[in-house]
Amino acid sequence: MKTIDELLAEGVAGKRVFVRADLNVPLDGTTITDDGRIRAVLPTVAKLAEAGARVVVASHLGRPKGAPDPAFSLAPAAARLGELLGADVAFATDTVGESARATVTGLADGQVAVVENLRFNAGETSKDDAERGAFADRLAELADVYVGDGFGAVHRKHASVFDLPARLPHYAGYLIATEVGVLKKLTTDVRRPYAVVLGGAKVSDKLGVIDHLLERADRILIGGGMAYTFLKAQGHEVGTSLLQEDQIPAVREYLRRAEEKGVEFVLPVDVVVAPAFPDLKTKAPAHPATVAADAMPEGQMGLDNGPETNKLYASKLADAATVFWNGPMGVFEHPDFADGTRAVAQALVDSPAFSVVGGGDSAAAVRILGFDENAFGHISTGGGASLEYLEGKTLPGLAALED
């Protein structure tokens, strides 16, 4: 795929450059609680603006139902982008309507605009090729060139990700080029030992990547809500913990295959439990207790890895040469259940391994728990996209950037 450097070499002064970014940031009302994704696209936007392009930034935010919804407005993200750029950023109150056309027309060389949430238009996410294509046609009217830099959305066959690049000269931005380069290090010529840490709520979300990694990883460490389905598959009681009983046969098969292939599967040896899921708004004390993973009492819910598991996982990561981590080890948003996630992050900081934090909640946890992002090899902006890449799937947004 062609990169932004090639575009810059060709010259962009006076050209309208459509940047498909990922500004899907978490909001508390209109307050951004983690601006990592905005900062990730900053190098691409800044470089284009410096070169005299008229930059049109577009993104989705949340999951509105194909119609405008003030709760999902990109206005806060546009304001934050302006703060980070140190320049005014114009904001269009629609995506392809009167405001968008007027805002883009009003741009001078080197100026930046953000258009409203792409998903306020049903055509963005439509499964109908014609409807999606019609929306892409209208987006194409706003620009002369397309730059894909929203890695967190490249696994979606959406109009702005898949259809629009076919209608304009297209290039990969700095973020996508970096993300793909990093993921190649996890799939080809991997430095060993190669350890993978998988957490998060549902084991069903990770089955594909586990299946793929059984052929590649040396050890797989499991935590988070998904761990309790693994523990149940081993015959242990899990109280009221999150459990996907329908996935137990698949989990047992993965455990069997791992043993057959010599892949080390590491599960919690102790867990932190509480009578109920904690209140994440008030952060009220949740009355936690630590119990052995094979002796969870009835009426208790597993919410984090225990201290012995934290030591075990740190030891399994200490000698790794490559580590991929996706998904928190517990309900890290509450102080009573953050230690497991903190321990994994600290183990990666302490390890000489090339470490990749695979986006989503794990990337948010690194920031929320106060870690220096530069202490990790790479923090991805796309959890789902990273996982699908590691599964070996073709990602529509990357395929669309190929010539």
Side-chain angles (χ1 to χ4, degrees):
M1 64 180 69
K2 289 183 179 180
T3 68
I4 187 175
D5 285 331
E6 293 172 84
L7 171 60
L8 291 166
E10 295 167 9
V12 295
K15 291 183 179 178
R16 300 170 302 163
V17 180
F18 187 103
V19 177
R20 200 331 179 162
D22 180 7
L23 308 181
N24 186 26
V25 292
L27 294 172
D28 182 2
T30 60
T31 301
I32 296 170
T33 58
D34 179 2
D35 68 356
R37 284 176 170 164
I38 301 174
R39 287 185 284 112
V41 78
L42 199 63
T44 290
V45 174
K47 197 73 172 180
L48 288 167
E50 287 170 13
R54 302 177 182 192
V55 187
V56 182
V57 180
S59 176
H60 71 286
L61 191 151
R63 295 185 178 180
K65 306 297 184 182
D69 183 337
F72 297 105
S73 175
L74 277 174
R80 181 59 179 150
L81 178 62
E83 291 172 359
L84 292 169
L85 285 171
D88 289 337
V89 169
F91 181 67
T93 56
D94 57 29
T95 304
V96 291
E98 193 173 310
S99 178
R101 291 193 298 272
T103 300
V104 174
T105 299
L107 289 176
D109 293 1
Q111 291 187 327
V112 179
V114 173
V115 296
E116 187 55 284
N117 194 333
L118 290 160
R119 292 187 184 175
F120 285 0
N121 302 266
E124 168 68 1
T125 59
S126 175
K127 297 187 183 304
D128 181 83
D129 291 348
E131 183 179 11
R132 219 175 46 246
F135 181 53
D137 287 339
R138 296 186 69 190
L139 290 172
E141 294 172 1
L142 299 176
D144 305 304
V145 181
Y146 177 93
V147 172
D149 214 31
F151 181 74
V154 294
H155 58 314
R156 305 296 188 192
K157 193 176 181 180
H158 291 170
S160 65
V161 175
F162 179 75
D163 302 273
L164 183 55
R167 289 157 167 79
L168 295 169
H170 46 270
Y171 302 80
Y174 290 123
L175 176 60
I176 279 187
T178 298
E179 295 272 13
V180 171
V182 166
L183 288 171
K184 284 182 177 177
K185 292 183 181 180
L186 300 179
T187 52
T188 57
D189 299 323
V190 181
R191 292 170 53 214
R192 297 186 179 280
Y194 179 16
V196 176
V197 186
L198 296 176
K202 294 182 178 180
V203 68
S204 57
D205 293 342
K206 305 292 196 301
L207 289 180
V209 74
I210 292 172
D211 183 67
H212 206 65
L213 288 169
L214 281 173
E215 305 294 330
R216 291 161 178 79
D218 297 301
R219 61 185 69 126
I220 300 175
L221 287 61
I222 301 292
M226 62 186 286
Y228 302 101
T229 300
F230 278 87
L231 292 170
K232 185 71 171 181
Q234 289 186 325
H236 306 309
E237 290 304 317
V238 296
T240 59
S241 306
L242 186 64
L243 176 65
Q244 289 185 285
E245 294 215 39
D246 61 323
Q247 301 298 331
I248 288 176
V251 166
R252 285 180 176 149
E253 175 61 15
Y254 286 146
L255 292 171
R256 184 197 66 77
R257 281 176 55 198
E259 186 174 4
E260 182 182 90
K261 293 178 177 295
V263 177
E264 187 179 7
F265 238 103
V266 188
L267 298 176
V269 294
D270 62 345
V271 295
V272 180
V273 299
F277 195 85
D279 188 323
L280 299 183
K281 286 194 173 181
T282 66
K283 304 292 197 301
H287 309 293
T290 300
V291 300
D294 60 359
M296 290 184 64
E298 291 184 11
Q300 295 286 311
M301 177 181 292
L303 295 165
D304 195 16
N305 287 347
E308 293 305 313
T309 301
N310 294 340
K311 293 177 189 175
L312 172 65
Y313 284 19
S315 72
K316 296 296 182 181
L317 297 173
D319 68 340
T322 303
V323 180
F324 174 71
W325 171 31
N326 179 276
M329 298 293 99
V331 186
F332 71 90
E333 301 92 338
H334 192 286
D336 288 343
F337 309 106
D339 285 350
T341 301
R342 183 181 290 109
V344 167
Q346 188 62 55
L348 296 192
V349 170
D350 295 339
S351 169
F354 174 66
S355 58
V356 178
V357 181
D361 286 342
S362 35
V366 163
R367 300 184 186 105
I368 290 170
L369 296 176
F371 286 91
D372 180 358
E373 294 179 46
N374 295 320
F376 302 87
H378 179 69
I379 297 180
S380 178
T381 57
S386 296
L387 289 176
E388 291 198 16
Y389 189 99
L390 293 181
E391 285 180 45
K393 291 183 176 180
T394 297
L395 305 188
L398 296 185
L401 295 176
E402 300 287 353
D403 290 312

